[in-house]
Amino acid sequence: MQGSPGKAIDYFFEGARLIVKPGFRRFILIPLLINLVIFVVVTIALFHAFGDFFTQIQAWSPTWLNWLTWLLWPLVGFVFLVVYGYSFNIITNFLAAPFFGLLAEKIETELTGTAPPDEPWGQLIPRTLQREAVKLWYFVSRGLLIFALFVVLFFIPGANLLGVLIGVIWSCWCMAVQYSDYPADNHQLSFRELRRKLNKQQLTSYSYGGIILLGSMVPVLNIFVTPIAVAGATLYWVREVKQL
């Protein structure tokens, strides 16, 4: 496997330092406001879903199995957090895609001195939303298969952790693809070709996605993770992915 987890960490933290510089702050204001609204809605939904899930499990389980229910709750809680981070990112990126594309463009221009091909807002917004729909279909269609596999493995003793691991790896890949797509889309690179390029640097790509997923699982911090993720992914694009 090619790539390096260390590079992924460097890209993320360098992206965090980059977006607070003068000239970039105005490009993250609207995405942060969108993130704030989504954070409130998704967090409330998570707490209700988590509580309802355990209420149903306890209602269905015989009394003598209640100890097993409480034994499983840390594992189920972790799964809910992964789903929370995954859902937060998917919804946020669908709504804020045009602004994240613009942020990626400005960062690339700052890094290289050359701007991606210019595009009027009237073309940019519908095209980026269409691109988000393509990504959403990719994530959801394959994600449902991963979820089905997870459900099957969850009820097999000793295999439930494997199901969680597969789900986490898939979520890491989705995060890497999602955020690397902004600079790639500015150059109108096909979604399939982007995935092929990212797969050539698997350790960097999966590690970068994992950092984003981890940050997205932490309430409040996840509000700020998405613009940082765009900046770090743009650095990754300029320095490595673009040349692959």
Side-chain angles (χ1 to χ4, degrees):
M1 296 177 71
Q2 301 295 316
S4 165
K7 286 184 178 180
I9 296 171
D10 290 342
Y11 287 140
F12 185 83
F13 284 103
E14 189 175 347
R17 292 191 295 269
L18 190 60
I19 64 171
V20 298
K21 290 184 177 180
F24 293 111
R25 296 171 189 167
R26 64 181 184 273
F27 295 110
I28 67 172
L29 178 60
I30 293 179
L32 286 178
L33 292 175
I34 293 173
N35 283 3
L36 181 60
V37 174
I38 296 172
F39 163 75
V40 173
V41 174
V42 174
T43 302
I44 292 174
L46 171 75
F47 279 108
H48 280 289
F50 187 69
D52 291 344
F53 178 82
F54 262 95
T55 300
Q56 291 296 327
I57 290 295
Q58 288 181 311
W60 293 339
S61 301
T63 305
W64 63 275
L65 276 180
N66 280 347
W67 66 272
L68 182 60
T69 301
W70 289 106
L71 189 65
L72 287 174
W73 84 260
L75 176 62
V76 176
F78 177 74
V79 172
F80 266 80
L81 283 175
V82 171
V83 173
Y84 169 66
Y86 184 79
S87 302
F88 181 87
N89 275 277
I90 294 297
I91 298 170
T92 296
N93 286 293
F94 187 82
L95 296 177
F99 305 102
F100 285 152
L102 186 60
L103 174 61
E105 176 185 330
K106 297 304 178 183
I107 291 174
E108 183 173 350
T109 303
E110 173 74 14
L111 294 172
T112 66
T114 304
D118 194 24
E119 188 174 12
W121 276 86
Q123 296 178 13
L124 175 66
I125 292 177
R127 188 180 62 77
T128 52
L129 291 178
Q130 182 181 14
R131 178 86 166 208
E132 288 301 310
V134 171
K135 285 189 288 187
L136 185 62
W137 170 249
Y138 172 79
F139 296 146
V140 171
S141 61
R142 289 156 178 80
L144 288 174
L145 295 176
I146 298 293
F147 179 74
L149 178 61
F150 165 77
V151 170
V152 172
L153 293 175
F154 187 79
F155 292 100
I156 301 175
N160 42 24
L161 290 177
L162 177 60
V164 173
L165 180 61
I166 292 172
V168 169
I169 291 174
W170 164 250
S171 298
C172 292
W173 170 249
C174 289
M175 294 300 101
V177 171
Q178 174 68 64
Y179 289 95
S180 298
D181 189 59
Y182 292 115
D185 186 43
N186 284 338
H187 292 270
Q188 299 190 27
L189 182 75
S190 74
F191 188 48
R192 182 188 297 272
E193 181 64 14
L194 170 65
R195 301 199 311 268
R196 186 190 66 80
K197 286 176 175 287
L198 290 176
N199 202 43
K200 287 185 175 182
Q201 295 289 329
Q202 292 180 349
L203 288 177
T204 305
S205 298
Y206 281 90
S207 298
Y208 189 72
I211 294 169
I212 299 169
L213 179 64
L214 185 62
S216 300
M217 291 163 57
V218 181
V220 181
L221 177 62
N222 55 9
I223 298 174
F224 305 97
V225 163
T226 48
I228 295 173
V230 174
T234 305
L235 290 164
Y236 183 27
W237 161 265
V238 168
R239 295 176 183 173
E240 293 190 57
V241 179
K242 190 176 181 180
Q243 289 76 34
L244 293 174

